[in-house]
Amino acid sequence: MASQSVLTPQDEDFPRWYQDVVAKAEMADNGPVRGTMVIRPYGYAIWERMQAEIDQRIKEAGAQNAYFPLFIPESYFHREAEHVEGFSPELAVVTHAGGEDLAEPIVVRPTSETVIGEFMAKWIQSYRDLPLLLNQWANVVRWELRPRLFLRSSEFLWQEGHTAHATYEDAAAYAMKIHLEVYNDFLEKVLAAPTYLGIKPPTERFAGAINTMTCEGMMRDGKALQMATSHELGQNFAKAFDIFYQNEDGQAALCHTTSWGASTRLVGGLIMLHGDDSGLVVPPRLAPIQVVVVAVRDEPEVNEACERIAQSLKGEGVRVQVDRGRGSFGRRLTDWEIKGVPLRVEVGPRDLAQGLVTLVRRDNAEKLPVALDAVGGEVARLLEAMQSAMFDDARQRRDGATVDVKSVAEAVEAAQTGFARLPWSQVGYKGENELNSQAITVRCLQRRDGSMPVTDTEDELDCIVAKSY
RNA sequence: CGGGGCGUAGCGCAGCUUGGUUAGCGCGCCUGCUUUGGGAGCAGGAGGUCCCGGGUUCGAAUCCCGGCGCCCCGACCA
């Protein structure tokens, strides 16, 4: 009965802890082909919740869902020089199909700018067709040398938005809108993830973009994770794919395009951002199971009470599940803790005799005896309290591990345990190389007040540097 | 692709140095009974190409040669 930890403690070996959580919370398994991932039902349920929240915001931002093919002619990639250069190393290419060698190899999409560009060119005739705002939910393939479940897999799931606009300003504004109203809003409100919003330095830009925006989150081990990005592609892809429109004056003009994405990497981010030594901790608004009603004993009155409580919570829109399975009570609690279910309602004969149940919060393990008729209200209150507490805690951890420094040397020191912030002018080409040689990268550029710059050439920019996933 | 580690039951490992009967242990799984307020107990049971291919030997998980795969740390990336 002596409680021995089920997971490797974070302090002992963080990567090991991560793998333990993924396995024991039944989130995913390695697929048979190196780098591939089997997403198990619980992991997929979390992804579906992310999808639902992000999809809703994308639609509110005016984009429509569509679907483009998995297979892309290889020649498409050669039309944009930087794009092909950036992606060639990780392309999976089909050279043989239908029992024959293919005349032209087919690339399994690593991202869809090229095919979508081709069709944008076809669909856009007039300024009246603009802006064209598309999104697709899809799988993509990027051959990975060093895969990790959710964080880096050779195949992963994501959404990729692709838009075309008449002007640079309109495209830039839309990319920014997505960044703030879709990604940052989702990250803050649902994932309880505080991030640093900024733009990437030129070296870290998306292949073919003129500007890349990022939401950089800090994991519990102090490393950075890019949780979503939004790109201004300028006219690079418009040129490569002839995405023209006719303006009011009847002149042909090149479009300005954007693309933006968030992937199943977010699930990895969720684990490493909020997880603790007892396992995953899922923010209530994200959780596929928000409340688990646990029968302390498998007895009729207890089970009936569980069902009544669950039905009533369900009626109030709470995502709830009853656990009246056999097996030891302690074991079941541990299992729910590893899965990170935000709130537990423990229903036992002793409490029940007094008209009580016990509510337990996953984030701080606080136990609260609550009268049966007050459960609904308390659950709602605690879920909200936990949601904001998780964001506040994460922000405190992030701020506490972000150090202002004045030189690259100091930044290297600070990046061993967290983020370092320093004037971008102190870094430069040479400084960036020095950082990179220490496995540290410039995660983003920000204005002094923390807001997002428009370009990397603005004066007085800070940069945030860190080790990253 | 560089540097380290490891391949033995579903998972985690011992055994290998010094070859020798039926290859073990923990967890998990199955059956039964007792249990159930923080990973339950007892009894019984199922489960193995010892990564693969060669070689040495009377005999190889163990020694030799060659492959393959996985994990961790770097370079690349969402």
Side-chain angles (χ1 to χ4, degrees), chain A residues 289 291-295 302-311 313-314 319-325 332 336 345 347:
Chain A
I289 304 170
V291 176
V292 60
V293 181
V294 183
V302 173
N303 288 334
E304 281 161 28
C306 286
E307 292 299 338
R308 276 200 308 277
I309 291 165
Q311 277 310 314
L313 288 172
K314 201 173 168 185
R319 295 185 288 276
V320 60
Q321 184 166 319
V322 174
D323 174 9
R324 42 182 285 190
R332 285 143 66 209
W336 292 117
V345 180
V347 182

Side-chain angles (χ1 to χ4, degrees), chain A residues 201-204 408-409 411-412 422 424 426-443 463 465-466:
Chain A
T203 50
E204 302 282 332
V408 169
V412 169
L422 73 165
W424 175 226
Q426 285 295 303
V427 180
Y429 181 74
K430 210 177 138 196
E432 213 176 333
N433 277 342
E434 169 62 17
L435 291 167
N436 291 354
S437 73
Q438 305 288 314
I440 298 162
T441 49
V442 176
R443 304 312 301 166
C463 63
V465 310

Side-chain angles (χ1 to χ4, degrees), chain A residues 84-377:
Chain A
V84 68
E85 191 189 331
F87 278 107
S88 318
E90 32 187 2
L91 292 184
V93 183
V94 181
T95 57
H96 193 84
E100 290 179 13
D101 287 338
L102 295 172
E104 180 188 348
I106 292 167
V107 168
V108 180
R109 65 177 163 224
T111 178
S112 303
E113 275 76 6
T114 58
V115 232
I116 296 183
E118 178 80 3
F119 282 84
M120 281 178 161
K122 193 172 168 182
W123 295 338
I124 295 168
Q125 306 288 328
S126 145
Y127 68 92
R128 291 197 174 90
D129 297 324
L130 297 175
L132 178 60
L133 310 175
L134 300 172
N135 178 64
Q136 82 165 343
W137 289 94
N139 59 337
V140 283
V141 169
R142 297 181 186 179
W143 218 250
E144 282 298 338
L145 304 174
R146 205 185 125 202
R148 290 187 75 182
L149 288 173
F150 291 114
L151 298 172
R152 256 191 318 263
S153 46
S154 287
E155 179 192 5
F156 58 89
L157 307 182
W158 74 348
Q159 65 58 221
E160 49 177 324
H162 297 269
T163 68
H165 307 258
T167 64
Y168 164 79
E169 288 73 21
D170 192 44
Y174 196 76
M176 175 85 85
K177 177 188 173 78
I178 292 292
H179 207 60
L180 299 178
E181 295 177 18
V182 176
Y183 296 142
N184 192 48
D185 190 71
F186 165 77
L187 289 170
E188 287 196 354
K189 295 208 175 110
V190 180
L191 202 53
T195 60
Y196 287 116
L197 302 181
I199 63 174
K200 289 288 182 185
T203 50
E204 302 282 332
R205 262 182 216 144
F206 176 76
I210 61 167
N211 186 32
T212 289
M213 291 170 247
T214 178
C215 300
E216 290 291 324
M218 185 194 287
M219 304 297 101
R220 289 187 92 135
D221 62 350
K223 286 197 188 178
L225 184 76
Q226 177 173 301
M227 303 191 75
T229 87
S230 191
H231 316 290
E232 295 170 36
L233 303 174
Q235 296 181 309
N236 292 343
F237 286 87
K239 278 179 200 149
F241 290 90
D242 295 326
I243 313 175
F244 284 96
Y245 69 98
Q246 231 177 4
N247 64 23
E248 289 95 325
D249 304 325
Q251 308 287 318
L254 263 185
C255 287
H256 294 74
T257 65
T258 79
S259 69
W260 25 279
S263 73
T264 37
R265 174 178 275 188
L266 284 171
V267 179
L270 162 72
I271 297 170
M272 294 194 294
L273 177 67
H274 294 303
D276 62 22
D277 282 348
S278 302
L280 191 58
V281 184
V282 187
R285 286 187 202 149
L286 179 67
I289 304 170
Q290 296 175 299
V291 176
V292 60
V293 181
V294 183
V296 171
R297 284 161 175 271
D298 190 15
E299 295 173 3
E301 305 92 76
V302 173
N303 288 334
E304 281 161 28
C306 286
E307 292 299 338
R308 276 200 308 277
I309 291 165
Q311 277 310 314
S312 140
L313 288 172
K314 201 173 168 185
E316 291 166 44
V318 176
R319 295 185 288 276
V320 60
Q321 184 166 319
V322 174
D323 174 9
R324 42 182 285 190
R326 278 178 229 126
S328 83
F329 181 60
R331 174 51 182 265
R332 285 143 66 209
L333 299 190
T334 308
D335 286 346
W336 292 117
E337 276 169 358
I338 292 173
K339 284 197 157 77
V341 172
L343 212 55
R344 199 161 70 218
V345 180
E346 299 178 2
V347 182
R350 276 202 316 254
D351 285 350
L352 221 46
Q354 304 171 63
L356 297 173
V357 294
T358 304
L359 267 51
V360 188
R361 261 171 73 162
R362 173 62 181 87
D363 62 330
N364 60 13
E366 253 173 42
K367 295 192 180 186
L368 191 67
V370 172
L372 271 170
D373 58 8
V375 169

